[in-house]
Amino acid sequence: MSSQVNLPLFFDDLFVNFDEHRLHAALDLLGELSVSRQIVMMTCHRHVAEAVAAIIPAAAVISV
């Protein structure tokens, strides 16, 4: 399906147990992927949200 349509990706606290190096590497990759597809990531962990804001400046971080 992805060859026909760029489907959005949804992540729910997928990176919460990553160490800082792995978290930053994963967010670098998500930043690259976000150029061609929508990414929705949910977390209740402040350090993950702060890392997203720092590594992917174009990300919209929404607190609920």
Side-chain angles (χ1 to χ4, degrees):
M1 187 76 181
S2 65
S3 64
Q4 299 169 4
V5 168
N6 284 332
L7 298 172
L9 296 174
F10 291 87
F11 299 104
D12 184 8
D13 263 339
L14 183 65
F15 307 121
V16 69
N17 292 317
F18 281 27
D19 62 29
E20 186 176 356
H21 176 73
R22 285 182 176 84
L23 175 61
H24 289 199
L27 293 177
D28 283 336
L29 177 59
L30 287 184
E32 292 176 27
L33 290 173
S34 70
V35 171
S36 61
R37 64 185 348 144
Q38 180 183 22
I39 297 174
V40 177
M41 191 169 123
M42 295 166 281
T43 186
C44 63
H45 299 275
R46 183 179 303 273
H47 75 280
V48 175
E50 289 171 350
V52 169
I55 294 170
I56 310 171
V61 177
I62 301 168
S63 296
V64 179

